[in-house]
Amino acid sequence: MATQQKDYYGMLGVKKTATADEIRKAFRKAARKYHPDVNPNNKKAEEKFKEISEANDVLSDAKKRKVYDQFGFYSDNIDAAAAEAAARGGYGGGGFSGAPPRGGQARGRGAQEVPFDFGGFDFSDFAGASAQGGRTQPRGQQGGGGSFRDIFGGMFNGGAGATRAQGPTPGTDIEYLVNTDFWTLIRGGVTKLEVQRQESCTSCKGKSTTGGEVVCPECKGTGQVTQMAGQMKFNLQCPLCKGTGRASSECATCYGEGVITKRETVEFRIKPGTRDGQRIRLAGKGNAGVNGGAAGDLYLIIKAGTHPVFARTGDDIYVTVPVAVSEAALGAKIDVPTIDGRTQLKIPPGTQAGQKLRLREKGVPSAAREGHRGDQIVEVKIVVPKVQDERSKEILREFAKLNDEDVRAQLFREV
């Protein structure tokens, strides 16, 4: 039974000459449109998302794409190296022009050599057999030649009759961005988040199927399907039954996925000192596995909120504090805010605007190193008063006469 060839380029809306970057961008655009999270309970969107995911899986992998471009389809049984050799040989998609001379090598388009020896074979009935859908049988094998399957045996890993065990499949991991307020990250706390995840189907217990086995509808019990590449015919392992010829009824609840999508509220603890961008792992809270496979993990990416006064970098706290002209010039002890409340800071005489003063161990407790704490960095902002009364003006004029240093002299010396 022939399988349907799929136009992966058309699914993603790109040309066959598209670059890897163009394919990646096209997939992201389509994924945003058809993702199940955006289209809940929409089976058509879900099927479309599966199609573009399959197309991206093949076209984003250089080896898989090479096989697909050469034969018009992709199978895990086809070796990429053999496909590349076939491409150099020049028979891909174009078939054969006729029977080659015995003992010689067949030539395709452009007189390129096919990297296989076809000596001892008669291809006269090849086109007819292909048209009738039958299996091509070579005649006259006495000349040292083998069967048609022997020639292409190197292109397949394990042959068409190989089967794959349908064992446990682990669930995938999930990531969520969690917006967390400034104080929760510093002091710690318990937070709740609603997530959407795949849980094991209760109807089929995660097995994807219900009831007993029946004859596979894809291959009609043969375990093989046929793919055509030009005039070349390949018998491949059936993708539905994995070559067994038997299949089970698809679960009507999960549509054969083994999992169903649900929304769930998870509760998690944030340690004091947790930083912006830090990942919190909740083991087993990801998507459920299939056929008894373990569930994936849930990763929470912390996005820190801001504060109107404090800024945080790592475990250090930064704050800008206004300082009067007299305090900066003469020195003073002033109150400054910290994450623990008020504390006193000594302003040295002659402090300049923008100068940074350090309060040791007044920062954030470290989440990674117990007993360690960051510092608080205080940046001085000198506030110049608005002089309105005459007495203050006289004092400032007198001050200017006593301190007549040119504060811009250094500036002009460096010009």
Side-chain angles (χ1 to χ4, degrees), residues 117-192:
D117 185 2
F118 290 99
F121 288 90
D122 184 357
F123 286 81
S124 59
D125 292 333
F126 182 81
S130 297
Q132 296 170 10
R135 179 175 294 177
T136 301
Q137 295 292 342
R139 294 179 299 189
Q141 298 182 12
Q142 298 90 335
S147 68
F148 195 67
R149 178 182 297 179
D150 292 337
I151 294 176
F152 291 95
M155 296 175 62
F156 298 89
N157 300 322
T163 60
R164 297 181 188 173
Q166 300 185 52
T169 302
T172 56
D173 297 336
I174 309 174
E175 282 191 355
Y176 267 85
L177 187 67
V178 184
N179 293 308
T180 313
D181 70 87
F182 180 84
W183 289 112
T184 300
L185 294 183
I186 291 177
R187 298 167 180 166
V190 177
T191 303
K192 293 181 179 180

Side-chain angles (χ1 to χ4, degrees), residues 12-33:
L12 296 180
V14 296
K15 298 180 180 179
K16 292 186 177 181
T17 56
T19 64
D21 186 58
E22 289 172 338
I23 290 173
R24 182 171 60 254
K25 289 180 179 178
F27 171 69
R28 288 180 177 176
K29 181 179 179 181
R32 285 194 294 268
K33 181 178 180 181

Side-chain angles (χ1 to χ4, degrees), residues 105-122:
Q105 287 186 317
R107 292 181 179 270
R109 295 180 182 176
Q112 291 178 305
E113 294 183 351
V114 178
F116 303 104
D117 185 2
F118 290 99
F121 288 90
D122 184 357

Side-chain angles (χ1 to χ4, degrees), residues 190-211:
V190 177
T191 303
K192 293 181 179 180
L193 175 70
E194 186 179 56
V195 300
Q196 181 171 286
R197 58 186 295 269
Q198 293 176 340
E199 294 184 355
S200 181
C201 177
T202 55
S203 298
C204 64
K205 310 300 181 185
K207 295 181 179 180
S208 307
T209 59
T210 57

Side-chain angles (χ1 to χ4, degrees), residues 6-24 26-27 51-70 72-74:
K6 300 178 180 180
D7 181 8
Y8 290 149
Y9 291 103
M11 291 178 184
L12 296 180
V14 296
K15 298 180 180 179
K16 292 186 177 181
T17 56
T19 64
D21 186 58
E22 289 172 338
I23 290 173
R24 182 171 60 254
F27 171 69
E51 289 181 359
I52 63 175
S53 297
E54 178 183 337
N56 180 67
D57 178 65
V58 172
L59 298 184
S60 62
D61 186 298
K63 292 183 179 180
K64 292 181 180 180
R65 184 179 180 182
K66 190 173 295 181
V67 173
Y68 176 77
D69 288 344
Q70 180 61 23
F73 64 92
Y74 175 76

